[in-house]
Amino acid sequence: MLKVHDIDVYYGDMQALRNVTLDVKKGEITTVIGSNGSGKSTLLRAISGILRPKTGSIQFNDKEITRTPSSGIVEGGISHVPEGRQLFPTMTVLENLEMGAQFSHMQKSAKKTMQEVFTFFPRLKERLSQKAGTLSGGEQQMVAMGRGLMSRPRLMMLDEPSLGLSPLLVSTIFEIIKQINESGTSILLIEQNVFQSLKISNHGYVLENGTIAHQGSSDQLLGNPHIRKTYLGL
Amino acid sequence: MDSALALQLLIQGILLGGVYGLIALGLSLIFGVMGVINFAHGQIMVMGMYASYWIFVLLGIDPYVSLVAVAAIIFVLGYAIQYLVVNRILDYPEAMQVLPLVSTGLILENIALLLWGPDHRSPQTALGLDSIWMGPVMVDTSRVIAFSLAILITGLIFLFLKKTTMGKRIRAASDNRTGAVLVGINVDRINNFSFGLGAATTAAAGCLLVPIMPISPYIAHDFTTAAFIVVILGGMGNLPGAMAGGLVLGVAESLSTLVLPATLKQVVSFTLLIIIILFRPQGLFGGKK
């Protein structure tokens, strides 16, 4: 459903992505792994329309979205749960969730969507009137993912959802990502937690210095000696 | 020291402080959303005052009545300034954002000079000379109305920001720009609207001042400075702080006339500013960096 074809992305003069080609298939979880500075977040920013690729194209459901503004990308069914969560800290959890539904077709079903969000994150229901900035890291991640779900995305992109969470919470978050996927949302997951993310995903890409170094089914990647050595320390 | 006089000055200070608060609210709103300090704020307010004056002189409509129309006109002016000037400088360092806005202020000031000349104008509005007794002190009716309307407008703006989708979008953009872009908010449109709203707010405050003080193009930068000081007092981008800071400045200026000549009242505001910057740079009530 998402086809990234041969994109180059720059920050000023510095090239962050080189000839990146990537496919997310409908109904699947696709993982991109890579170390810090390998260009993982840049990739998501380019898909979301925050950065513009210099060359190459991005298509979503056979529609060209390379030059679509961010709001159009969200409206078209891609939501981006960013690195660092980027919540609205002085607004309540309820308001943060409401802000996830920006367009009229999302607002119409917002009440229903919110109930679905609560099935994934029951904790949020107890926190609705609390300011997002006062929540714990794990709860903030839940708000960020809940907000991302409020746009009823067909593709949800998650940028390091496990970052800074306790090991127990990490497992919970991965479990929930799996459930979200099973409920019909395709997932593009960016992670440094290589083992757990490949475990729940169908396909994987390894980004090294801005280019795709390896790709394949998650099982293949888990078995790849280079990846075992570099990313899993086995 | 005469205690009745002190009480009189205290009340007058609070009443004028409410209007200061409203002016500063507009400045703080703009800063909160865009991180830009509107150095044309007082000039925009004076444009509102002249619009109100014109409507009064030409059509005989009282400033309190024309307030909504004037706010709407100045909203358009603010929207245009954002679109033409501010949107181009948002990504520049703060020091470079100062000049285009100061120039905008100068242009507005000179437009006012061309259209209305340098003379002070004091329209004789219906309630301009009325006064009422509040216990032992006498206050101008127009000041009481100005204060009440300033509080009412502030309340309405808070309600708007709290309850409406547009208001929530403004708060979201002010809280976290990246987050706002990522959920699909058209942040450029929010910027234009916020600048328009900030300008309309200060224009409304200007209308409230029309019956109280003479209008001239030159009073503008005093108000820009006053609004800036109030915002620093209350905390940058802190909206309730802007109102509270307005009251503090109003009272301080007013009470200072007990011991200082009235022409030195700016000494008071600048002293306050220096004290705050030295001891509590985040403002009395905390703000954004």
Side-chain angles (χ1 to χ4, degrees):
Chain A
M1 69 188 324
L2 179 77
K3 287 192 165 69
V4 176
H5 183 70
D6 204 14
I7 59 168
D8 283 1
V9 181
Y10 289 76
Y11 287 106
D13 288 334
M14 199 196 78
Q15 187 161 13
L17 292 180
R18 204 183 302 269
N19 308 102
V20 170
T21 296
L22 171 144
D23 242 341
V24 179
K25 294 203 177 66
K26 201 174 168 174
E28 291 195 352
I29 300 182
T30 304
T31 296
V32 177
I33 56 179
S35 56
N36 278 333
S38 60
K40 304 190 299 294
S41 299
T42 309
L43 174 63
L44 292 199
R45 285 194 203 116
I47 299 171
S48 301
I50 297 176
L51 293 170
R52 293 266 168 254
K54 206 163 208 173
T55 57
S57 74
I58 303 171
Q59 292 178 329
F60 184 61
N61 287 336
D62 300 321
K63 251 176 62 190
E64 183 65 40
I65 58 164
T66 322
R67 306 262 166 249
T68 311
S70 296
S71 55
I73 305 267
V74 178
E75 194 175 9
I78 300 181
S79 86
H80 182 169
V81 181
E83 191 182 8
R85 291 144 204 161
Q86 311 291 354
L87 297 179
F88 308 122
T90 71
M91 297 172 78
T92 65
V93 170
L94 177 65
E95 287 170 335
N96 269 274
L97 293 176
E98 285 172 352
M99 284 293 101
Q102 281 297 327
F103 299 92
S104 57
H105 65 276
M106 302 167 186
Q107 282 158 355
K108 262 178 223 143
S109 49
K111 282 223 164 68
K112 203 179 116 225
T113 318
M114 209 175 286
Q115 291 309 319
E116 290 167 25
V117 169
F118 295 149
T119 61
F120 296 123
F121 306 106
R123 183 96 60 94
L124 294 186
K125 214 170 171 174
E126 304 155 23
R127 296 274 186 266
L128 280 181
S129 55
Q130 210 170 315
K131 294 225 162 80
T134 65
L135 300 178
S136 72
E139 289 167 339
Q140 291 196 7
Q141 185 59 44
M142 294 177 191
V143 178
M145 289 171 68
R147 186 180 70 180
L149 285 169
M150 289 300 292
S151 65
R152 307 192 70 84
R154 280 176 285 173
L155 171 67
M156 189 172 188
M157 307 196 294
L158 296 152
D159 196 342
E160 302 214 26
S162 74
L163 195 72
L165 303 186
S166 70
L168 190 67
L169 212 49
V170 171
S171 309
T172 314
I173 292 285
F174 277 110
E175 184 53 40
I176 292 167
I177 293 172
K178 225 168 102 184
Q179 286 171 16
I180 291 172
N181 176 247
E182 279 157 8
S183 75
T185 311
S186 311
I187 306 267
L188 176 57
L189 175 64
I190 292 229
E191 261 300 338
Q192 294 207 47
N193 194 324
V194 174
F195 186 71
Q196 296 222 47
S197 51
L198 285 177
K199 266 279 187 243
I200 62 162
S201 60
N202 308 88
H203 274 84
Y205 291 83
V206 180
L207 208 51
E208 280 174 6
N209 296 323
T211 56
I212 302 283
H214 303 276
Q215 65 181 78
S217 75
S218 299
D219 294 334
Q220 278 170 0
L221 290 180
L222 277 170
N224 181 312
H226 170 76
I227 290 164
R228 288 178 74 87
K229 188 160 162 279
T230 318
Y231 295 96
L232 297 171
L234 299 173
Chain B
M1 201 184 297
D2 185 351
S3 68
L5 178 63
L7 185 63
Q8 168 101 33
L9 288 172
L10 177 71
I11 291 178
Q12 288 217 353
I14 292 174
L15 295 182
L16 190 61
V19 182
Y20 279 165
L22 188 59
I23 300 168
L25 185 71
L27 190 69
S28 206
L29 185 77
I30 292 170
F31 177 79
V33 174
M34 281 163 285
V36 167
I37 294 162
N38 177 19
F39 283 101
H41 207 61
Q43 283 78 2
I44 293 174
M45 185 192 86
V46 168
M47 293 314 264
M49 291 176 87
Y50 275 117
S52 173
Y53 167 80
W54 237 359
I55 293 174
F56 177 70
V57 173
L58 298 178
L59 307 171
I61 300 171
D62 196 87
Y64 299 128
V65 180
S66 65
L67 187 144
V68 175
V70 171
I73 295 167
I74 303 299
F75 177 92
V76 176
L77 175 69
Y79 198 101
I81 292 175
Q82 170 69 31
Y83 186 78
L84 295 172
V85 181
V86 186
N87 265 338
R88 294 162 203 263
I89 58 172
L90 281 180
D91 297 329
Y92 292 163
E94 279 102 355
M96 288 169 72
Q97 294 173 341
V98 175
L99 281 181
L101 280 163
V102 170
S103 336
T104 306
L106 285 174
I107 291 170
L108 291 178
E109 192 173 313
N110 283 285
I111 289 175
L113 210 50
L114 274 175
L115 290 176
W116 296 286
D119 305 335
H120 284 80
R121 291 166 191 252
S122 312
Q124 292 303 313
T125 58
L127 295 170
L129 297 174
D130 274 25
S131 53
I132 44 176
W133 286 91
M134 295 174 82
V137 295
M138 190 181 78
V139 285
D140 302 337
T141 311
S142 52
R143 286 178 189 256
V144 176
I145 295 175
F147 177 79
S148 315
L149 284 178
I151 298 294
L152 176 72
I153 294 167
T154 305
L156 288 176
I157 289 173
F158 280 119
L159 213 59
F160 168 78
L161 291 173
K162 192 92 199 151
K163 296 288 174 200
T164 65
T165 305
M166 190 61 176
K168 286 176 192 173
R169 282 179 186 152
I170 290 176
R171 282 162 58 215
S174 165
D175 248 13
N176 188 329
R177 269 188 102 69
T178 314
V181 171
L182 286 176
V183 297
I185 294 173
N186 183 334
V187 177
D188 288 341
R189 204 178 296 157
I190 296 293
N191 287 347
N192 296 343
F193 188 89
S194 304
F195 206 99
L197 185 64
T201 306
T202 190
C207 294
L208 299 177
L209 290 176
V210 168
I212 300 176
M213 58 179 62
I215 315 166
S216 108
Y218 300 119
I219 62 174
H221 38 251
D222 285 356
F223 278 98
T224 302
T225 316
F228 188 50
I229 291 172
V230 167
V231 168
I232 291 173
L233 273 177
M236 305 287 284
N238 180 335
L239 300 184
M243 187 35 84
L247 295 175
V248 171
L249 183 66
V251 169
E253 275 190 2
S254 180
L255 285 183
S256 73
T257 53
L258 280 173
V259 286
L260 287 172
T263 44
L264 280 181
K265 73 176 185 186
Q266 284 209 330
V267 170
V268 179
S269 47
F270 281 115
T271 308
L272 267 177
L273 176 68
I274 292 167
I275 293 172
I276 283 285
I277 288 176
L278 280 179
F279 297 106
R280 209 175 150 77
Q282 72 274 39
L284 291 176
F285 308 97
K288 309 172 76 159
K289 334 101 271 158

